[in-house]
Amino acid sequence: GESVGLHLPTLSVQEGDNSIINCAYSNSASDYFIWYKQESGKGPQFIIDIRSNMDKRQGQRVTVLLNKTVKHLSLQIAATQPGDSAVYFCAEISPGSARQLTFGSGTQLTVLP
Amino acid sequence: DSGVTQTPKHLITATGQRVTLRCSPRSGDLSVYWYQQSLDQGLQFLIHYYNGEERAKGNILERFSAQQFPDLHSELNLSSLELGDSALYFCASSVASRPDTQYFGPGTRLTVL
């Protein structure tokens, strides 16, 4: 079936380095993608989104890249800080009349001092 | 703070019991979504309401039901609880009927003993 998945379940980076979190999606018809950050004990927090008619979108310290050819999504965090430690989920809007968010399994980002 | 509120924060109950989880969306948001997050299933979409009407159902058990009231708050009712229902339950809201950017509440942690 269609799914959204993450390549790596865990990622450790040094404070100040850039982080790259990857996500593969299998439904080429998906037209909207969102990255969420979930800190321990909290709900998912919206980070950035991108529509399928774009290949790059930048926010504050974050950039999302979309490669529709290989159905790949990535989240880049510049100058990673301890507060960036969290689980990051990519989510896609499922196509069709339901158009619900389908979440990937998540990547645990740990920022090392 | 996303502006979405959920009560209670924690809930401990016994198998076979019934509980009600409450969610208040962000001011102005007409859509409410419910999700279940467990360790082995990740974030699973349960149900979507828009302005009081059910819009879509996901992986929601027949023992679970929800409703959205005229003041737009929503309740998720879980009955005949089983051990496997222990999870975090999140509510999210968005402005439109389309499930684009959703803002999540802090969640209710349900423990069934």
Short mmCIF file of all heavy atoms in Angstrom, two decimals, chain B residues 46-109:
data_model
loop_
_atom_site.label_atom_id
_atom_site.label_comp_id
_atom_site.label_asym_id
_atom_site.label_seq_id
_atom_site.Cartn_x
_atom_site.Cartn_y
_atom_site.Cartn_z
N LEU B 46 -7.52 9.10 13.11
CA LEU B 46 -8.75 8.44 13.53
C LEU B 46 -9.97 9.00 12.81
O LEU B 46 -10.72 8.26 12.18
CB LEU B 46 -8.93 8.58 15.05
CG LEU B 46 -7.89 7.90 15.92
CD1 LEU B 46 -8.17 8.18 17.40
CD2 LEU B 46 -7.83 6.40 15.66
N ILE B 47 -10.19 10.31 12.95
CA ILE B 47 -11.42 10.89 12.42
C ILE B 47 -11.27 12.40 12.27
O ILE B 47 -10.46 13.02 12.95
CB ILE B 47 -12.60 10.53 13.35
CG1 ILE B 47 -13.95 10.71 12.65
CG2 ILE B 47 -12.53 11.29 14.66
CD1 ILE B 47 -15.10 10.01 13.36
N HIS B 48 -12.06 12.95 11.34
CA HIS B 48 -12.03 14.38 11.03
C HIS B 48 -13.44 14.94 11.05
O HIS B 48 -14.34 14.37 10.43
CB HIS B 48 -11.38 14.57 9.65
CG HIS B 48 -11.50 15.95 9.09
ND1 HIS B 48 -11.48 16.21 7.72
CD2 HIS B 48 -11.64 17.17 9.67
CE1 HIS B 48 -11.59 17.50 7.50
NE2 HIS B 48 -11.70 18.10 8.67
N TYR B 49 -13.62 16.05 11.75
CA TYR B 49 -14.89 16.77 11.77
C TYR B 49 -14.67 18.18 11.25
O TYR B 49 -13.65 18.81 11.52
CB TYR B 49 -15.46 16.84 13.19
CG TYR B 49 -16.25 15.63 13.57
CD1 TYR B 49 -15.61 14.49 14.05
CD2 TYR B 49 -17.63 15.60 13.43
CE1 TYR B 49 -16.34 13.36 14.39
CE2 TYR B 49 -18.37 14.48 13.76
CZ TYR B 49 -17.71 13.36 14.24
OH TYR B 49 -18.44 12.24 14.57
N TYR B 50 -15.63 18.64 10.51
CA TYR B 50 -15.59 20.02 10.01
C TYR B 50 -16.93 20.67 10.33
O TYR B 50 -17.97 20.20 9.86
CB TYR B 50 -15.32 20.06 8.51
CG TYR B 50 -15.41 21.45 7.92
CD1 TYR B 50 -14.43 22.39 8.16
CD2 TYR B 50 -16.52 21.81 7.14
CE1 TYR B 50 -14.52 23.66 7.63
CE2 TYR B 50 -16.62 23.09 6.61
CZ TYR B 50 -15.61 24.01 6.86
OH TYR B 50 -15.70 25.27 6.34
N ASN B 51 -16.89 21.70 11.11
CA ASN B 51 -18.06 22.49 11.45
C ASN B 51 -19.24 21.60 11.89
O ASN B 51 -20.37 21.81 11.48
CB ASN B 51 -18.47 23.34 10.25
CG ASN B 51 -19.29 24.55 10.66
OD1 ASN B 51 -19.25 24.99 11.81
ND2 ASN B 51 -20.04 25.09 9.72
N GLY B 52 -18.92 20.62 12.70
CA GLY B 52 -19.95 19.78 13.28
C GLY B 52 -20.26 18.51 12.52
O GLY B 52 -21.00 17.65 13.03
N GLU B 53 -19.72 18.39 11.32
CA GLU B 53 -20.04 17.21 10.52
C GLU B 53 -18.81 16.33 10.33
O GLU B 53 -17.70 16.82 10.12
CB GLU B 53 -20.55 17.64 9.14
CG GLU B 53 -21.88 18.36 9.18
CD GLU B 53 -22.43 18.62 7.80
OE1 GLU B 53 -21.76 18.25 6.81
OE2 GLU B 53 -23.51 19.22 7.69
N GLU B 54 -19.04 15.03 10.36
CA GLU B 54 -17.95 14.10 10.12
C GLU B 54 -17.52 14.17 8.66
O GLU B 54 -18.37 14.10 7.76
CB GLU B 54 -18.40 12.68 10.46
CG GLU B 54 -17.33 11.63 10.25
CD GLU B 54 -17.86 10.22 10.51
OE1 GLU B 54 -18.38 9.97 11.61
OE2 GLU B 54 -17.76 9.39 9.58
N ARG B 55 -16.21 14.31 8.43
CA ARG B 55 -15.71 14.43 7.06
C ARG B 55 -14.97 13.20 6.59
O ARG B 55 -15.01 12.85 5.42
CB ARG B 55 -14.77 15.63 6.95
CG ARG B 55 -15.47 16.94 6.76
CD ARG B 55 -16.31 16.97 5.51
NE ARG B 55 -17.03 18.19 5.31
CZ ARG B 55 -16.67 19.14 4.44
NH1 ARG B 55 -15.60 18.97 3.70
NH2 ARG B 55 -17.40 20.22 4.32
N ALA B 56 -14.25 12.56 7.49
CA ALA B 56 -13.48 11.39 7.09
C ALA B 56 -13.17 10.53 8.30
O ALA B 56 -13.06 11.03 9.42
CB ALA B 56 -12.19 11.80 6.39
N LYS B 57 -13.07 9.24 8.03
CA LYS B 57 -12.69 8.29 9.06
C LYS B 57 -11.42 7.59 8.65
O LYS B 57 -11.25 7.23 7.48
CB LYS B 57 -13.79 7.25 9.26
CG LYS B 57 -14.87 7.64 10.23
CD LYS B 57 -15.81 6.47 10.47
CE LYS B 57 -16.82 6.80 11.55
NZ LYS B 57 -17.73 5.67 11.82
N GLY B 58 -10.57 7.38 9.62
CA GLY B 58 -9.35 6.63 9.37
C GLY B 58 -9.42 5.30 10.08
O GLY B 58 -10.43 4.60 10.02
N ASN B 59 -8.37 4.97 10.79
CA ASN B 59 -8.31 3.69 11.49
C ASN B 59 -9.00 3.75 12.85
O ASN B 59 -8.39 3.48 13.88
CB ASN B 59 -6.85 3.28 11.67
CG ASN B 59 -6.13 3.14 10.34
OD1 ASN B 59 -6.71 2.62 9.39
ND2 ASN B 59 -4.91 3.62 10.27
N ILE B 60 -10.25 4.09 12.86
CA ILE B 60 -10.97 4.22 14.13
C ILE B 60 -11.79 2.98 14.40
O ILE B 60 -12.51 2.50 13.53
CB ILE B 60 -11.83 5.50 14.14
CG1 ILE B 60 -12.42 5.74 15.53
CG2 ILE B 60 -12.90 5.48 13.06
CD1 ILE B 60 -13.00 7.13 15.73
N LEU B 61 -11.62 2.44 15.59
CA LEU B 61 -12.36 1.25 15.98
C LEU B 61 -13.83 1.57 16.20
O LEU B 61 -14.20 2.71 16.50
CB LEU B 61 -11.76 0.68 17.27
CG LEU B 61 -10.28 0.28 17.22
CD1 LEU B 61 -9.79 -0.08 18.62
CD2 LEU B 61 -10.08 -0.89 16.27
N GLU B 62 -14.66 0.55 16.08
CA GLU B 62 -16.10 0.76 16.30
C GLU B 62 -16.39 1.13 17.75
O GLU B 62 -17.42 1.76 18.04
CB GLU B 62 -16.87 -0.50 15.91
CG GLU B 62 -16.95 -0.70 14.40
CD GLU B 62 -17.92 -1.79 14.02
OE1 GLU B 62 -18.67 -2.28 14.90
OE2 GLU B 62 -17.95 -2.16 12.83
N ARG B 63 -15.50 0.76 18.66
CA ARG B 63 -15.67 1.09 20.08
C ARG B 63 -15.40 2.57 20.34
O ARG B 63 -15.67 3.08 21.43
CB ARG B 63 -14.70 0.27 20.93
CG ARG B 63 -14.87 -1.23 20.83
CD ARG B 63 -13.93 -1.96 21.77
NE ARG B 63 -12.55 -1.98 21.31
CZ ARG B 63 -11.57 -1.29 21.87
NH1 ARG B 63 -11.80 -0.49 22.89
NH2 ARG B 63 -10.33 -1.39 21.41
N PHE B 64 -14.85 3.25 19.35
CA PHE B 64 -14.51 4.67 19.50
C PHE B 64 -15.52 5.50 18.70
O PHE B 64 -15.94 5.11 17.60
CB PHE B 64 -13.11 4.96 18.98
CG PHE B 64 -11.99 4.28 19.73
CD1 PHE B 64 -12.22 3.46 20.81
CD2 PHE B 64 -10.68 4.49 19.33
CE1 PHE B 64 -11.17 2.84 21.49
CE2 PHE B 64 -9.62 3.89 19.99
CZ PHE B 64 -9.88 3.06 21.07
N SER B 65 -15.85 6.65 19.23
CA SER B 65 -16.72 7.56 18.49
C SER B 65 -16.32 8.99 18.84
O SER B 65 -15.63 9.23 19.84
CB SER B 65 -18.19 7.33 18.83
OG SER B 65 -18.43 7.64 20.20
N ALA B 66 -16.75 9.90 18.02
CA ALA B 66 -16.41 11.30 18.27
C ALA B 66 -17.57 12.18 17.83
O ALA B 66 -18.47 11.73 17.12
CB ALA B 66 -15.13 11.69 17.52
N GLN B 67 -17.53 13.41 18.28
CA GLN B 67 -18.49 14.39 17.81
C GLN B 67 -17.90 15.78 17.98
O GLN B 67 -16.99 15.99 18.78
CB GLN B 67 -19.83 14.26 18.54
CG GLN B 67 -19.77 14.38 20.04
CD GLN B 67 -21.14 14.12 20.68
OE1 GLN B 67 -21.27 13.33 21.59
NE2 GLN B 67 -22.15 14.79 20.20
N GLN B 68 -18.44 16.70 17.19
CA GLN B 68 -18.03 18.10 17.30
C GLN B 68 -19.29 18.91 17.58
O GLN B 68 -20.30 18.78 16.89
CB GLN B 68 -17.37 18.58 16.01
CG GLN B 68 -16.80 19.99 16.13
CD GLN B 68 -16.12 20.46 14.86
OE1 GLN B 68 -16.44 20.01 13.76
NE2 GLN B 68 -15.17 21.38 15.00
N PHE B 69 -19.20 19.73 18.58
CA PHE B 69 -20.35 20.47 19.07
C PHE B 69 -20.48 21.84 18.39
O PHE B 69 -19.55 22.29 17.74
CB PHE B 69 -20.23 20.63 20.59
CG PHE B 69 -20.30 19.31 21.32
CD1 PHE B 69 -19.15 18.54 21.51
CD2 PHE B 69 -21.51 18.81 21.78
CE1 PHE B 69 -19.21 17.32 22.16
CE2 PHE B 69 -21.57 17.60 22.44
CZ PHE B 69 -20.42 16.85 22.62
N PRO B 70 -21.63 22.50 18.56
CA PRO B 70 -21.83 23.81 17.91
C PRO B 70 -20.75 24.84 18.27
O PRO B 70 -20.45 25.71 17.46
CB PRO B 70 -23.21 24.24 18.41
CG PRO B 70 -23.94 22.95 18.63
CD PRO B 70 -22.89 22.01 19.16
N ASP B 71 -20.17 24.73 19.46
CA ASP B 71 -19.11 25.69 19.80
C ASP B 71 -17.76 25.23 19.26
O ASP B 71 -16.73 25.84 19.55
CB ASP B 71 -19.03 25.90 21.31
CG ASP B 71 -18.57 24.66 22.07
OD1 ASP B 71 -18.46 23.58 21.43
OD2 ASP B 71 -18.33 24.75 23.28
N LEU B 72 -17.76 24.17 18.48
CA LEU B 72 -16.63 23.61 17.75
C LEU B 72 -15.69 22.75 18.58
O LEU B 72 -14.76 22.16 18.01
CB LEU B 72 -15.84 24.70 17.01
CG LEU B 72 -16.64 25.50 15.99
CD1 LEU B 72 -15.81 26.60 15.38
CD2 LEU B 72 -17.19 24.58 14.89
N HIS B 73 -15.91 22.65 19.87
CA HIS B 73 -15.08 21.72 20.61
C HIS B 73 -15.49 20.30 20.23
O HIS B 73 -16.59 20.06 19.73
CB HIS B 73 -15.14 21.97 22.12
CG HIS B 73 -16.20 21.20 22.86
ND1 HIS B 73 -17.48 21.68 23.03
CD2 HIS B 73 -16.14 20.00 23.48
CE1 HIS B 73 -18.17 20.80 23.74
NE2 HIS B 73 -17.38 19.75 24.02
N SER B 74 -14.59 19.38 20.47
CA SER B 74 -14.84 18.00 20.06
C SER B 74 -14.55 17.06 21.22
O SER B 74 -13.76 17.36 22.11
CB SER B 74 -13.95 17.64 18.87
OG SER B 74 -14.14 16.29 18.49
N GLU B 75 -15.23 15.94 21.20
CA GLU B 75 -15.00 14.90 22.19
C GLU B 75 -14.77 13.57 21.49
O GLU B 75 -15.45 13.26 20.50
CB GLU B 75 -16.18 14.80 23.16
CG GLU B 75 -16.32 16.01 24.06
CD GLU B 75 -17.48 15.92 25.04
OE1 GLU B 75 -18.25 14.94 24.96
OE2 GLU B 75 -17.62 16.83 25.86
N LEU B 76 -13.83 12.82 22.01
CA LEU B 76 -13.55 11.47 21.52
C LEU B 76 -13.93 10.51 22.64
O LEU B 76 -13.42 10.62 23.75
CB LEU B 76 -12.07 11.33 21.17
CG LEU B 76 -11.61 9.95 20.68
CD1 LEU B 76 -12.23 9.64 19.31
CD2 LEU B 76 -10.09 9.89 20.57
N ASN B 77 -14.86 9.64 22.34
CA ASN B 77 -15.33 8.67 23.32
C ASN B 77 -14.73 7.31 23.03
O ASN B 77 -14.83 6.80 21.90
CB ASN B 77 -16.87 8.57 23.26
CG ASN B 77 -17.52 9.90 23.55
OD1 ASN B 77 -17.39 10.45 24.64
ND2 ASN B 77 -18.21 10.46 22.56
N LEU B 78 -14.13 6.72 24.04
CA LEU B 78 -13.51 5.41 23.91
C LEU B 78 -14.21 4.48 24.88
O LEU B 78 -14.25 4.76 26.09
CB LEU B 78 -12.01 5.48 24.23
CG LEU B 78 -11.23 6.65 23.62
CD1 LEU B 78 -9.78 6.62 24.11
CD2 LEU B 78 -11.27 6.61 22.11
N SER B 79 -14.77 3.39 24.38
CA SER B 79 -15.52 2.50 25.26
C SER B 79 -14.95 1.09 25.22
O SER B 79 -14.13 0.75 24.35
CB SER B 79 -17.00 2.48 24.85
OG SER B 79 -17.13 1.99 23.54
N SER B 80 -15.41 0.27 26.18
CA SER B 80 -14.94 -1.12 26.30
C SER B 80 -13.43 -1.18 26.15
O SER B 80 -12.88 -1.94 25.35
CB SER B 80 -15.61 -1.99 25.24
OG SER B 80 -17.01 -1.95 25.37
N LEU B 81 -12.75 -0.35 26.93
CA LEU B 81 -11.32 -0.16 26.77
C LEU B 81 -10.54 -1.45 26.97
O LEU B 81 -10.87 -2.29 27.83
CB LEU B 81 -10.82 0.91 27.73
CG LEU B 81 -11.20 2.33 27.32
CD1 LEU B 81 -10.95 3.30 28.46
CD2 LEU B 81 -10.42 2.75 26.08
N GLU B 82 -9.51 -1.58 26.15
CA GLU B 82 -8.60 -2.72 26.21
C GLU B 82 -7.20 -2.20 26.51
O GLU B 82 -6.90 -1.02 26.33
CB GLU B 82 -8.63 -3.47 24.88
CG GLU B 82 -10.01 -3.95 24.49
CD GLU B 82 -10.03 -4.59 23.11
OE1 GLU B 82 -8.96 -4.63 22.45
OE2 GLU B 82 -11.12 -5.05 22.69
N LEU B 83 -6.34 -3.12 26.94
CA LEU B 83 -4.97 -2.72 27.26
C LEU B 83 -4.30 -2.04 26.08
O LEU B 83 -3.55 -1.07 26.23
CB LEU B 83 -4.15 -3.94 27.70
CG LEU B 83 -4.59 -4.64 28.99
CD1 LEU B 83 -3.72 -5.87 29.23
CD2 LEU B 83 -4.52 -3.70 30.18
N GLY B 84 -4.60 -2.53 24.90
CA GLY B 84 -3.99 -2.00 23.68
C GLY B 84 -4.44 -0.61 23.30
O GLY B 84 -3.88 -0.01 22.38
N ASP B 85 -5.42 -0.10 24.00
CA ASP B 85 -5.87 1.27 23.72
C ASP B 85 -4.99 2.30 24.43
O ASP B 85 -5.14 3.50 24.18
CB ASP B 85 -7.33 1.46 24.17
CG ASP B 85 -8.29 0.56 23.41
OD1 ASP B 85 -8.03 0.29 22.21
OD2 ASP B 85 -9.29 0.12 24.00
N SER B 86 -4.11 1.84 25.27
CA SER B 86 -3.18 2.76 25.94
C SER B 86 -2.33 3.44 24.89
O SER B 86 -1.67 2.79 24.08
CB SER B 86 -2.29 1.99 26.92
OG SER B 86 -3.05 1.44 27.97
N ALA B 87 -2.35 4.76 24.90
CA ALA B 87 -1.65 5.52 23.87
C ALA B 87 -1.79 7.00 24.19
O ALA B 87 -2.48 7.39 25.13
CB ALA B 87 -2.24 5.24 22.49
N LEU B 88 -1.13 7.80 23.37
CA LEU B 88 -1.36 9.24 23.38
C LEU B 88 -2.43 9.55 22.35
O LEU B 88 -2.37 9.05 21.22
CB LEU B 88 -0.07 9.98 23.01
CG LEU B 88 0.95 10.22 24.11
CD1 LEU B 88 2.29 10.62 23.52
CD2 LEU B 88 0.46 11.29 25.07
N TYR B 89 -3.37 10.37 22.72
CA TYR B 89 -4.41 10.78 21.79
C TYR B 89 -4.28 12.28 21.56
O TYR B 89 -4.33 13.07 22.50
CB TYR B 89 -5.79 10.42 22.34
CG TYR B 89 -6.01 8.93 22.35
CD1 TYR B 89 -5.57 8.15 23.41
CD2 TYR B 89 -6.62 8.29 21.26
CE1 TYR B 89 -5.72 6.78 23.41
CE2 TYR B 89 -6.79 6.91 21.25
CZ TYR B 89 -6.33 6.16 22.33
OH TYR B 89 -6.49 4.80 22.31
N PHE B 90 -4.08 12.63 20.29
CA PHE B 90 -3.91 14.03 19.94
C PHE B 90 -5.10 14.54 19.15
O PHE B 90 -5.68 13.83 18.33
CB PHE B 90 -2.65 14.23 19.08
CG PHE B 90 -1.37 14.05 19.83
CD1 PHE B 90 -0.63 12.89 19.70
CD2 PHE B 90 -0.90 15.05 20.67
CE1 PHE B 90 0.56 12.72 20.39
CE2 PHE B 90 0.29 14.89 21.36
CZ PHE B 90 1.02 13.72 21.22
N CYS B 91 -5.39 15.77 19.40
CA CYS B 91 -6.36 16.51 18.62
C CYS B 91 -5.58 17.56 17.83
O CYS B 91 -4.59 18.10 18.32
CB CYS B 91 -7.36 17.16 19.58
SG CYS B 91 -8.35 18.46 18.90
N ALA B 92 -6.02 17.82 16.62
CA ALA B 92 -5.42 18.88 15.82
C ALA B 92 -6.55 19.68 15.19
O ALA B 92 -7.67 19.19 15.04
CB ALA B 92 -4.53 18.28 14.73
N SER B 93 -6.25 20.92 14.84
CA SER B 93 -7.28 21.72 14.19
C SER B 93 -6.69 22.47 13.01
O SER B 93 -5.46 22.67 12.91
CB SER B 93 -7.93 22.70 15.17
OG SER B 93 -7.07 23.78 15.50
N SER B 94 -7.55 22.83 12.10
CA SER B 94 -7.15 23.65 10.96
C SER B 94 -8.33 24.52 10.57
O SER B 94 -9.46 24.27 10.97
CB SER B 94 -6.69 22.79 9.77
OG SER B 94 -7.78 22.05 9.25
N VAL B 95 -8.03 25.53 9.74
CA VAL B 95 -9.06 26.49 9.40
C VAL B 95 -10.11 25.90 8.47
O VAL B 95 -11.30 26.01 8.67
CB VAL B 95 -8.43 27.73 8.72
CG1 VAL B 95 -9.51 28.64 8.16
CG2 VAL B 95 -7.57 28.48 9.71
N ALA B 96 -9.61 25.22 7.44
CA ALA B 96 -10.50 24.83 6.35
C ALA B 96 -11.00 23.41 6.49
O ALA B 96 -10.64 22.68 7.39
CB ALA B 96 -9.74 25.00 5.03
N SER B 97 -11.82 23.04 5.55
CA SER B 97 -12.31 21.67 5.51
C SER B 97 -11.27 20.73 4.93
O SER B 97 -11.31 19.54 5.15
CB SER B 97 -13.58 21.60 4.67
OG SER B 97 -13.32 22.01 3.35
N ARG B 98 -10.31 21.29 4.20
CA ARG B 98 -9.24 20.48 3.64
C ARG B 98 -8.16 20.30 4.71
O ARG B 98 -7.76 21.26 5.36
CB ARG B 98 -8.62 21.15 2.43
CG ARG B 98 -9.46 21.15 1.19
CD ARG B 98 -8.95 22.21 0.23
NE ARG B 98 -7.51 22.05 -0.01
CZ ARG B 98 -7.01 21.43 -1.07
NH1 ARG B 98 -7.83 20.88 -1.96
NH2 ARG B 98 -5.71 21.34 -1.25
N PRO B 99 -7.66 19.08 4.88
CA PRO B 99 -6.66 18.83 5.93
C PRO B 99 -5.27 19.27 5.52
O PRO B 99 -4.39 18.46 5.34
CB PRO B 99 -6.74 17.32 6.14
CG PRO B 99 -7.17 16.79 4.83
CD PRO B 99 -8.10 17.82 4.25
N ASP B 100 -5.05 20.54 5.36
CA ASP B 100 -3.73 21.05 5.11
C ASP B 100 -3.03 21.25 6.45
O ASP B 100 -3.08 20.38 7.29
CB ASP B 100 -3.81 22.35 4.29
CG ASP B 100 -4.16 22.06 2.84
OD1 ASP B 100 -4.19 20.89 2.46
OD2 ASP B 100 -4.42 23.01 2.09
N THR B 101 -2.39 22.35 6.68
CA THR B 101 -1.63 22.53 7.90
C THR B 101 -2.51 22.36 9.13
O THR B 101 -3.52 23.04 9.28
CB THR B 101 -0.99 23.92 7.94
OG1 THR B 101 -0.20 24.09 6.77
CG2 THR B 101 -0.12 24.06 9.18
N GLN B 102 -2.14 21.43 9.97
CA GLN B 102 -2.87 21.15 11.18
C GLN B 102 -2.01 21.50 12.39
O GLN B 102 -0.81 21.25 12.40
CB GLN B 102 -3.24 19.67 11.25
CG GLN B 102 -4.17 19.24 10.13
CD GLN B 102 -4.44 17.75 10.13
OE1 GLN B 102 -4.36 17.09 11.17
NE2 GLN B 102 -4.78 17.21 8.98
N TYR B 103 -2.65 22.05 13.40
CA TYR B 103 -1.97 22.44 14.63
C TYR B 103 -2.43 21.51 15.75
O TYR B 103 -3.64 21.35 15.97
CB TYR B 103 -2.25 23.91 14.96
CG TYR B 103 -1.69 24.82 13.90
CD1 TYR B 103 -2.44 25.17 12.78
CD2 TYR B 103 -0.39 25.29 13.99
CE1 TYR B 103 -1.91 25.97 11.78
CE2 TYR B 103 0.15 26.11 13.00
CZ TYR B 103 -0.62 26.43 11.89
OH TYR B 103 -0.09 27.23 10.90
N PHE B 104 -1.46 20.90 16.40
CA PHE B 104 -1.76 19.85 17.37
C PHE B 104 -1.82 20.37 18.79
O PHE B 104 -1.09 21.28 19.18
CB PHE B 104 -0.68 18.76 17.29
CG PHE B 104 -0.83 17.84 16.12
CD1 PHE B 104 -0.47 18.25 14.85
CD2 PHE B 104 -1.34 16.57 16.29
CE1 PHE B 104 -0.62 17.41 13.76
CE2 PHE B 104 -1.48 15.72 15.20
CZ PHE B 104 -1.13 16.14 13.95
N GLY B 105 -2.69 19.73 19.57
CA GLY B 105 -2.75 19.98 20.98
C GLY B 105 -1.68 19.19 21.72
O GLY B 105 -0.93 18.43 21.11
N PRO B 106 -1.61 19.34 23.03
CA PRO B 106 -0.58 18.67 23.82
C PRO B 106 -0.84 17.19 24.05
O PRO B 106 0.05 16.48 24.53
CB PRO B 106 -0.60 19.44 25.14
CG PRO B 106 -2.00 19.94 25.24
CD PRO B 106 -2.42 20.26 23.84
N GLY B 107 -2.04 16.73 23.75
CA GLY B 107 -2.34 15.31 23.86
C GLY B 107 -2.91 14.90 25.21
O GLY B 107 -2.78 15.61 26.22
N THR B 108 -3.55 13.76 25.19
CA THR B 108 -4.02 13.08 26.41
C THR B 108 -3.36 11.72 26.45
O THR B 108 -3.46 10.95 25.49
CB THR B 108 -5.55 12.90 26.41
OG1 THR B 108 -6.18 14.18 26.51
CG2 THR B 108 -5.98 12.03 27.59
N ARG B 109 -2.67 11.46 27.54
CA ARG B 109 -2.05 10.13 27.69
C ARG B 109 -3.03 9.22 28.41
O ARG B 109 -3.37 9.45 29.57
CB ARG B 109 -0.75 10.22 28.47
CG ARG B 109 -0.07 8.84 28.65
CD ARG B 109 1.28 8.94 29.29
NE ARG B 109 2.27 9.57 28.43
CZ ARG B 109 2.90 8.96 27.44
NH1 ARG B 109 2.67 7.70 27.16
NH2 ARG B 109 3.81 9.61 26.72
#
